[in-house]
Amino acid sequence: MFSASQSSRAQFLDKARQAREERRELKERERAAVQLQALVRRFLCRCRLQREIRREVEDFFGTNECGSSKRSALSVFRIARKLLFVFNPKEDKERFEKLCRCILNSMDVESEPKVWYVSLALSKDLTLLWIKQIKDILWFCCEFLKQLKPDILQDSRLVNLHLTMLVTFTDTSTWKILRGKGETLRPAMNHICANIMGHLNQKGFYSVLQILLTNGLARSRPSLSKGSLTAIFSLALRPVVAAQFSDNLLRSFLIHVMSVPAIMTHLATLTPERLAVMESHDLFRKFILFLSWESQCRDVCVCLEGSHTLCLLGNLVFLGSLNDQVLEEETAHFVGVLIHMLSYCQKYVSQKKSNLTHWHPVLGWFSQTVDYGLNESMPLLTKQLQHLWGVHMIRILFNDVLSKKLLENQEIAQLPAQPISPQNSLPMKNLFKRAFQKSASVRNILKPVGGKRVDSAEVQKVCSICVLYQTTLTTLTQIRLQILTGLTYLDDLLPKLWAFICELGPQGGLKLFLECLNNDTEESKRLLAMLMLFCDCSRHLITILDDIEVYEEQISFKLEELVTISSFLNSFVFKMIWDGIVENARGETLELFHSVHGWLMVLYERDCRRRFAPEDHWLRKDLKPSVLFQELDKDKKRAQLLLQYIPHVIPHKNRVLLFRNMVTKEKEKLGLVETSSASPHVTHITIRRSRMLEDGYEQLRQLSQNAMKGVIRVKFVNDLGVDEAGIDQDGVFKEFLEEIIKKVFDPALNLFKTTSGDERLYPSPTSYIHENYLQLFEFVGKMLGKAVYEGIVVDVPFASFFLSQLLGHHHSVFYSSVDELPSLDSEFYKNLTSIKRYDGDISDLGLTLSYDEDVMGQLVCHELVPGGKTIPVTNENKISYIHLMAHFRMHTQIKSQTAALIGGFRSIIKPEWIRMFSAPELQRLISGDNAEIDLEDLKKHTVYYGGFHGSHRVIIWLWDILANDFSPEERAMFLKFVTSCSRPPLLGFAYLKPPFSIRCVEVSDDQDTGDTLGSVLRGFFTIRKKEPGGRLPTSSTCFNLLKLPNYSKKSILREKLRYAISMNTGFELS
């Protein structure tokens, strides 16, 4: 019973709870329904009200359209309040435009105060409401300006409308209410304008102007009209001027207005009056002084990031070019600001492409998203930046350096004075026109003298300017050449900068800069930046000047100064390497090394082509070759770096020894050297003399790389099919190699051609007529490489430009095809350089970017660039034409032939082995020493057999005949007769293996059984079996052996020897 009552109670409670829940839900639904109905009613009411208000606004502006300007200001105010109450930018755009026009029209009415919209500001009851209303209207104008596109005609009209509203109500100058008696109200009205302007600034007024300016100006042709641009810039200046150029507003102006791409250029073009206003407020100075505080400059740069910081930089540079006085007075601050901004941009500049970089047309690979909308304005930005390295600004910034007088020699001072022509007073079209404007004065040769304190204000100022330009070069990577060309435009800047460098420190020159390398101070870095800038600019200048400008006219530098400079650079680079600085160099130190080394190598290669330095100028007397070789054997890094970067400091003879040592080591490594335990593999080939080239090509081209480097034995077969006498101990192979090289390099075969003038060899452009011509060139390369590998000198004079390609110099960034062109065709070079110096309009000559060539009777037109035959050569592109033409003649025409030959050559000779030689030195390595045969050296290293000795009558006659009776050509023929090579070994006859020997013979070669006791005694005592007058001297080139009969008369010896060396029948001559 108890449990039943409990159950009924629980049921009762559940029912009560359910009932409560139902009642509560019902109340919620009723409340929600009421709320929903209220919302709908409110919405419908609001829509109805909005419709009524909009209808009322439309009726207000629609009725009496013609006399709308006569409406009272109060009615306009009231209708504006209603419109603003329901304002929606999308729906009410046209109504808002009508309101703005109505307000502006009211301001134009004459002598009717009640109509002037601004008159409401004088009403006590409405002043605050009116101020709020005009603030709202003007901000809506700003909102519309952000969305409008000035390049669309309809939008450009609306831009003018909203700008006029802003211009009218942020300044009292156009308010008619303040004329006459109303002038007393001006202070109060100005206060109201300042209030309005402050409100707009808080809301983001400058951001609006930035968007509008960028939309209208960041393009190749500006879409903003003169009026619009004037209005925008006036609006931008008003808050700054009103706030008396406070830091806060200067910052906003710099970030939002001065960072618009090329805005100063557009102002100068469209509305130069605005620039005059800026100048009247001395804004450029104020900008520079504001940014000269590092924290403020960093803040601006961080806000702008990379691309827009560069735009601000361009505008500041352009302003600087227009304000000479400020620039002169604030040089230090100006330079400091630019350095800071460029350094900030440099953080984003990347050395290579990656997933994190984007391409920037001025900065290169950029580790930040690039606003590609700015790309169209980049040409204008570049033009602005060009002012920084233009003549005008360089003259101002480098005034301390350029004002120095380069004193004349005392001897020259005695000559009558000549007027100095102002050769740089007027900018010329290009660098090369000044080539013939020689300076009228002759100066002392500039050498390091020292005496100027490096901590003086003058030195610090020049160092800062050099840091600026060096930072510019490393940041603006894509216009680096433009910058260098600008810096080298003034002929006297670089020599005067060198004179300035010469005066630094106690002794001047080397010691100071070497000390700077070891000091990690800011002062040291600035001094090294000066040296780096000097090297980069000088290298660029010498690279673009031709030989006439360097050697005859001596533009910028005298040859004696180049000698002094190269000596300084040579010592500096040597010390950097030898003292271990380069081994651990990073960042700026490594850049400095490459800069100084690049300038040094340009001078060295120029000297190799045409000497200006004295003999042994490039050698380091304090470097002992033996010490270097020991360090190389121990793999010391500094020795390897020295060999890599400045091998010319080592005497040529020692480098040849080093080369031979490298070859020997490789031979040992490959097992190509005879040892007690093993013999090298020998390759045997049989050659018909009448088909030497064909047989050699067929049998050798199939050999592996190692087999070509190994021992090759040659057996000659004569025209009768009989083996020739003689055992090859490399002698016959040497003869074969020399003969085959003689055949392939014969111009008659048309694999190679000779240059006009000195008749030096280079691949023939028409060699493609041969079947498998590229394989032939590869074979020639291998044979040439084999000759160098074995130390066999061959008489093949190559053109200098071809040797440069063999060394790989043409891949260098400093390589100039024009400089090498005289080695191909000096007449063609003169004609090309005459185009460079042509003062008239070059297009009158009717040239195009193409080259017409007579190829086997047919005229073939080669285009230097795609479509070149339709592109005329003009004054603007003539320098490009010269370089393209030189490149075509020396590279493009023979590209495949050269590549094949170099490929074959490098399969035998490693490229790093010959990098230590210059082009003339490589020629000597290939062809032997071009000096005359040193008979004393040959005599000193001669071995005698068969009874001959140094004091023997026949031997005395022989040396006398060679010295006094034979011409140099006959002496060369004699050397070829006995050794198969017409030139002496590069290192002298001590390195001739086997040594040259002379043997006394009594019988012919086929009866000769060698020396016997009797034959030796007879030879020694000059006892003859019979007169040998009918026999000729013979030779065994494999042993470098001369077989000489014991002649009775000197005249017979002379006659027989001359006849023998003029014949070419190898071992069979008897």
Side-chain angles (χ1 to χ4, degrees):
M1 181 169 179
F2 180 77
S3 61
S5 90
Q6 267 189 339
S7 173
S8 62
R9 185 182 174 192
Q11 288 174 354
F12 174 76
L13 290 173
D14 283 343
K15 285 180 182 178
R17 188 172 65 252
Q18 286 174 5
R20 279 197 308 275
E21 288 289 333
E22 286 173 2
R23 287 195 300 275
R24 189 171 62 77
E25 286 178 9
L26 183 63
K27 284 180 182 178
E28 281 291 323
R29 282 200 296 271
E30 287 175 353
R31 189 176 64 79
V34 170
Q35 197 172 13
L36 193 61
Q37 287 170 357
L39 282 170
V40 170
R41 282 197 300 274
R42 186 165 64 196
F43 173 74
L44 293 173
C45 181
R46 192 163 62 245
C47 288
R48 187 169 56 254
L49 179 63
Q50 286 174 350
R51 282 197 301 273
E52 288 173 2
I53 289 174
R54 288 190 173 103
R55 195 178 302 118
E56 186 180 345
V57 170
E58 284 173 0
D59 291 343
F60 179 83
F61 291 122
T63 57
N64 195 14
E65 193 74 34
C66 299
S68 59
S69 60
K70 298 291 185 182
R71 294 191 186 97
S72 70
L74 188 60
S75 65
V76 174
F77 172 76
R78 285 172 179 162
I79 204 70
R81 282 193 77 186
K82 290 182 178 180
L83 177 61
L84 294 175
F85 179 69
V86 298
F87 186 72
N88 181 302
K90 289 184 180 177
E91 290 186 40
D92 299 313
K93 184 179 175 184
E94 290 185 13
R95 298 180 187 92
F96 186 76
E97 290 166 19
K98 289 176 181 178
L99 173 63
C100 290
R101 288 198 173 91
C102 182
I103 290 172
L104 290 173
N105 287 338
S106 76
M107 296 295 288
D108 289 335
V109 175
E110 294 289 340
S111 307
E112 293 195 35
K114 289 186 178 180
V115 176
W116 295 331
Y117 177 68
V118 78
S119 65
L120 298 174
L122 303 177
S123 168
K124 288 182 181 179
D125 299 332
L126 297 176
T127 301
L128 294 177
L129 291 173
W130 180 84
I131 290 173
K132 183 181 183 309
Q133 185 180 90
I134 194 65
K135 283 179 180 177
D136 290 342
I137 290 173
L138 293 181
W139 183 246
F140 283 130
C141 286
C142 291
E143 291 286 355
F144 279 118
L145 284 173
K146 281 199 284 188
Q147 300 164 12
L148 294 170
K149 305 293 180 190
D151 52 333
I152 301 171
L153 181 61
Q154 185 61 34
D155 279 12
S156 69
R157 289 173 182 165
L158 294 176
V159 166
N160 288 335
L161 172 66
H162 297 312
L163 284 175
T164 307
M165 281 293 292
L166 288 163
V167 168
T168 302
F169 292 101
T170 54
D171 185 76
T172 61
S173 58
T174 59
W175 294 2
K176 293 183 172 66
I177 197 169
L178 299 180
R179 292 178 184 171
K181 295 178 181 179
E183 189 64 38
T184 55
L185 300 171
R186 191 174 294 278
M189 295 294 104
N190 282 340
H191 186 71
I192 290 174
C193 283
N195 186 297
I196 294 168
M197 201 78 246
H199 171 77
L200 293 176
N201 279 336
Q202 283 183 339
K203 298 272 281 183
F205 181 57
Y206 275 115
S207 296
V208 173
L209 295 183
Q210 182 181 16
I211 293 168
L212 182 60
L213 285 167
T214 304
N215 287 340
L217 299 180
R219 51 186 62 245
S220 51
R221 292 181 62 188
S223 55
L224 285 174
S225 65
K226 176 180 177 179
S228 299
L229 187 57
T230 303
I232 295 168
F233 210 76
S234 299
L235 287 168
L237 273 177
R238 278 176 185 175
V240 181
V241 175
Q244 296 184 329
F245 310 98
S246 69
D247 284 354
N248 193 31
L249 280 161
L250 277 175
R251 176 183 179 276
S252 295
F253 192 89
L254 285 164
I255 291 172
H256 297 291
V257 180
M258 289 299 290
S259 67
V260 174
I263 185 171
M264 293 296 111
T265 302
H266 291 302
L267 283 178
T269 307
L270 294 173
T271 171
E273 303 85 16
R274 293 300 96 194
L275 285 178
V277 171
M278 287 185 73
E279 194 173 343
S280 68
H281 291 302
D282 204 13
L283 266 179
F284 175 60
R285 190 193 303 271
K286 290 180 172 67
F287 291 153
I288 294 303
L289 293 175
F290 173 82
L291 292 169
S292 64
W293 292 92
E294 191 175 329
S295 57
Q296 293 177 168
C297 188
R298 190 187 310 113
D299 170 47
V300 169
C301 291
V302 169
C303 289
L304 291 175
E305 295 190 323
S307 289
H308 287 277
T309 299
L310 195 65
C311 295
L312 171 59
L313 182 76
N315 286 316
L316 289 175
V317 168
F318 184 80
L319 267 184
S321 69
L322 302 176
N323 291 270
D324 291 1
Q325 186 181 347
V326 178
L327 199 59
E328 289 168 9
E329 293 169 2
E330 304 293 344
T331 297
H333 287 136
F334 177 72
V335 169
V337 167
L338 295 197
I339 290 172
H340 192 92
M341 293 173 77
L342 284 165
S343 300
Y344 182 80
C345 290
Q346 201 175 59
K347 292 178 185 175
Y348 297 97
V349 176
S350 179
Q351 295 301 315
K352 58 185 178 181
K353 179 182 180 181
S354 71
N355 293 332
L356 302 174
T357 58
H358 305 266
W359 179 254
H360 192 285
V362 174
L363 299 166
W365 290 113
F366 198 61
S367 58
Q368 184 191 47
T369 306
V370 176
D371 183 354
Y372 290 105
L374 298 180
N375 275 11
E376 279 191 66
S377 56
M378 281 301 152
L380 281 175
L381 171 60
T382 306
K383 280 188 178 178
Q384 283 188 321
L385 292 170
Q386 282 170 354
H387 288 284
L388 182 57
W389 49 88
V391 173
H392 184 68
M393 197 167 286
I394 285 175
R395 284 192 186 283
I396 294 173
L397 295 182
F398 277 111
N399 182 51
D400 289 349
V401 174
L402 290 169
S403 60
K404 289 177 70 68
K405 293 241 173 117
L406 297 175
L407 298 175
E408 299 179 359
N409 283 328
Q410 290 181 352
E411 298 88 356
I412 297 186
Q414 295 169 3
L415 296 173
Q418 298 178 27
I420 298 174
S421 60
Q423 63 185 65
N424 294 311
S425 58
L426 293 171
M428 314 226 9
K429 282 189 177 178
N430 57 55
L431 179 69
F432 304 103
K433 277 198 175 181
R434 297 174 295 110
F436 289 94
Q437 297 182 354
K438 293 185 179 179
S439 176
S441 62
V442 182
R443 62 169 188 264
N444 280 323
I445 304 309
L446 302 170
K447 294 181 180 179
V449 290
K452 187 170 283 187
R453 290 179 61 88
V454 294
D455 56 355
S456 66
E458 180 193 5
V459 173
Q460 291 302 309
K461 180 183 174 185
V462 174
C463 284
S464 294
I465 294 162
C466 290
V467 170
L468 166 61
Y469 283 110
Q470 196 55 43
T471 311
T472 307
L473 285 168
T474 51
T475 306
L476 311 181
T477 57
Q478 298 310 296
I479 52 175
R480 180 182 171 86
L481 289 179
Q482 281 186 37
I483 300 166
L484 288 169
T485 303
L487 289 168
T488 54
Y489 189 91
L490 290 175
D491 284 344
D492 54 345
L493 175 61
L494 290 175
K496 286 182 176 179
L497 188 57
W498 172 243
F500 192 84
I501 289 170
C502 288
E503 293 176 358
L504 296 177
Q507 288 89 31
L510 188 64
K511 190 177 178 184
L512 170 69
F513 290 102
L514 287 173
E515 286 172 359
C516 289
L517 286 172
N518 299 314
N519 298 333
D520 195 25
T521 63
E522 198 60 36
E523 185 182 88
S524 296
K525 288 179 181 177
R526 290 151 77 88
L527 282 166
L528 292 173
M530 181 196 296
L531 177 63
M532 197 167 164
L533 182 73
F534 171 73
C535 290
D536 285 343
C537 294
S538 303
R539 180 186 64 208
H540 179 74
L541 176 68
I542 294 296
T543 303
I544 59 177
L545 294 180
D546 59 40
D547 283 355
I548 294 172
E549 292 161 329
V550 172
Y551 291 92
E552 275 80 42
E553 295 165 10
Q554 299 186 26
I555 286 178
S556 286
F557 294 107
K558 293 183 146 307
L559 291 181
E560 295 87 345
E561 284 163 2
L562 292 181
V563 172
T564 308
I565 292 168
S566 59
S567 178
F568 166 81
L569 299 174
N570 209 33
S571 300
F572 189 79
V573 172
F574 173 75
K575 291 285 187 184
M576 280 192 81
I577 294 173
W578 205 243
D579 293 349
I581 296 169
V582 177
E583 286 179 45
N584 308 308
R586 297 285 182 278
E588 291 174 354
T589 308
L590 195 59
E591 286 176 17
L592 170 71
F593 173 76
H594 288 308
S595 180
V596 178
H597 175 258
W599 175 209
L600 171 66
M601 294 315 292
V602 165
L603 287 175
Y604 174 68
E605 284 164 19
R606 177 80 74 163
D607 184 61
C608 288
R609 273 201 313 274
R610 182 174 169 185
R611 292 201 72 86
F612 62 79
E615 202 70 34
D616 297 340
H617 169 73
W618 303 98
L619 301 180
R620 290 291 304 181
K621 303 293 191 297
D622 54 343
L623 175 66
K624 292 183 179 177
S626 57
V627 174
L628 178 69
F629 292 170
Q630 285 170 15
E631 295 207 2
L632 283 170
D633 289 337
K634 294 175 185 174
D635 289 332
K636 289 285 185 71
K637 187 69 176 173
R638 69 174 187 176
Q640 293 170 347
L641 288 171
L642 192 78
L643 206 59
Q644 179 185 346
Y645 286 109
I646 48 170
H648 58 255
V649 300
I650 311 161
H652 178 242
K653 181 179 177 181
N654 296 99
R655 277 180 281 143
V656 176
L657 279 170
L658 188 59
F659 171 76
R660 299 296 345 148
N661 190 33
M662 288 173 175
V663 172
T664 303
K665 281 185 178 177
E666 188 187 75
K667 284 185 173 183
E668 290 170 355
K669 186 179 176 183
L670 297 175
L672 303 177
V673 179
E674 186 91 38
T675 63
S676 57
S677 58
S679 296
H681 172 73
V682 177
T683 303
H684 293 276
I685 59 173
T686 303
I687 303 294
R688 290 169 291 179
R689 280 197 180 273
S690 58
R691 293 183 58 80
M692 193 179 291
L693 178 57
E694 293 84 346
D695 289 351
Y697 173 69
E698 285 300 326
Q699 294 182 62
L700 292 177
R701 73 185 183 92
Q702 305 293 347
L703 293 183
S704 67
Q705 186 173 314
N706 284 355
M708 274 298 292
K709 291 181 178 181
V711 179
I712 299 173
R713 296 275 185 241
V714 177
K715 182 167 72 173
F716 277 124
V717 178
N718 67 9
D719 294 338
L720 303 174
V722 179
D723 290 357
E724 288 188 2
I727 303 165
D728 182 14
Q729 292 294 330
D730 297 330
V732 179
F733 178 72
K734 283 195 291 182
E735 184 188 357
F736 158 72
L737 192 61
E738 216 179 44
E739 289 298 328
I740 204 166
I741 283 176
K742 187 176 175 183
K743 286 181 184 295
V744 294
F745 285 106
D746 184 352
L749 189 62
N750 196 35
L751 276 178
F752 288 83
K753 280 182 75 171
T754 55
T755 60
S756 60
D758 54 1
E759 296 193 340
R760 292 185 164 267
L761 293 159
Y762 69 98
S764 169
T766 56
S767 55
Y768 57 79
I769 61 172
H770 289 281
E771 190 179 355
N772 301 327
Y773 72 103
L774 292 180
Q775 288 91 325
L776 265 172
F777 273 103
E778 187 180 0
F779 170 69
V780 171
K782 285 180 178 179
M783 297 308 291
L784 190 63
K786 177 68 172 173
V788 175
Y789 193 77
E790 299 296 347
I792 301 170
V793 292
V794 287
D795 192 7
V796 183
F798 284 116
S800 175
F801 79 89
F802 180 70
L803 289 166
S804 294
Q805 293 183 43
L806 207 54
L807 288 166
H809 288 173
H810 58 298
H811 295 305
S812 165
V813 291
F814 312 124
Y815 180 81
S816 169
S817 299
V818 177
D819 289 339
E820 294 275 18
L821 189 57
S823 69
L824 172 67
D825 190 335
S826 55
E827 199 60 38
F828 186 71
Y829 170 75
K830 284 178 186 174
N831 293 338
L832 268 188
T833 50
S834 68
I835 290 173
K836 173 177 163 180
R837 291 174 169 77
Y838 188 74
D839 285 333
D841 186 356
I842 203 74
S843 57
D844 294 342
L845 302 180
L847 298 170
T848 60
L849 295 182
S850 61
Y851 173 61
D852 294 329
E853 184 186 22
D854 184 359
V855 180
M856 293 180 285
Q858 287 189 331
L859 194 65
V860 177
C861 177
H862 304 281
E863 292 189 327
L864 303 178
V865 294
K869 61 184 177 185
T870 62
I871 303 173
V873 176
T874 63
N875 287 349
E876 286 71 35
N877 67 9
K878 67 180 180 181
I879 300 301
S880 295
Y881 169 73
I882 291 165
H883 282 270
L884 286 168
M885 184 68 85
H887 184 78
F888 176 79
R889 286 290 308 272
M890 294 190 298
H891 298 273
T892 311
Q893 265 195 317
I894 55 172
K895 186 177 180 181
S896 55
Q897 294 94 320
T898 304
L901 188 143
I902 290 174
F905 184 79
R906 288 183 178 173
S907 69
I908 310 294
I909 301 293
K910 292 181 180 178
E912 56 268 27
W913 289 352
I914 57 171
R915 278 200 196 116
M916 54 182 158
F917 300 109
S918 64
E921 288 170 342
L922 179 60
Q923 180 68 68
R924 289 169 66 190
L925 192 67
I926 293 168
S927 299
D929 214 329
N930 50 11
E932 205 172 309
I933 296 166
D934 187 348
L935 289 176
E936 287 302 317
D937 183 41
L938 180 59
K939 189 191 299 186
K940 184 178 172 183
H941 296 98
T942 299
V943 180
Y944 302 102
Y945 297 104
F948 278 162
H949 51 85
S951 302
H952 195 286
R953 182 181 62 182
V954 175
I955 298 303
I956 292 171
W957 289 344
L958 174 67
W959 294 120
D960 186 59
I961 289 166
L962 288 172
N964 300 315
D965 296 344
F966 275 19
S967 65
E969 291 77 17
E970 287 175 318
R971 283 193 285 272
M973 289 166 66
F974 168 78
L975 191 62
K976 184 176 176 66
F977 177 70
V978 292
T979 67
S980 81
C981 300
S982 57
R983 292 184 179 221
L986 201 55
L987 300 173
F989 287 102
Y991 290 85
L992 184 65
K993 301 296 179 187
F996 175 56
S997 52
I998 304 173
R999 179 169 160 238
C1000 179
V1001 293
E1002 298 179 316
V1003 292
S1004 61
D1005 279 359
D1006 55 351
Q1007 296 173 325
D1008 190 8
T1009 56
D1011 287 343
T1012 63
L1013 180 60
S1015 68
V1016 171
L1017 289 171
R1018 284 193 294 274
F1020 187 82
F1021 293 108
T1022 323
I1023 302 168
R1024 287 180 293 277
K1025 282 183 175 180
K1026 58 180 179 179
E1027 174 60 49
R1031 290 209 314 277
L1032 294 171
T1034 59
S1035 65
S1036 292
T1037 56
C1038 48
F1039 297 112
N1040 296 325
L1041 171 66
L1042 173 64
K1043 297 177 182 179
L1044 199 61
N1046 195 345
Y1047 293 113
S1048 58
K1049 292 181 181 178
K1050 183 180 177 182
S1051 58
I1052 297 172
L1053 171 59
R1054 181 171 53 242
E1055 179 193 340
K1056 298 297 182 183
L1057 186 60
R1058 186 170 272 151
Y1059 181 76
I1061 65 173
S1062 65
M1063 303 296 289
N1064 186 23
T1065 54
F1067 286 94
E1068 297 189 330
L1069 180 62
S1070 163

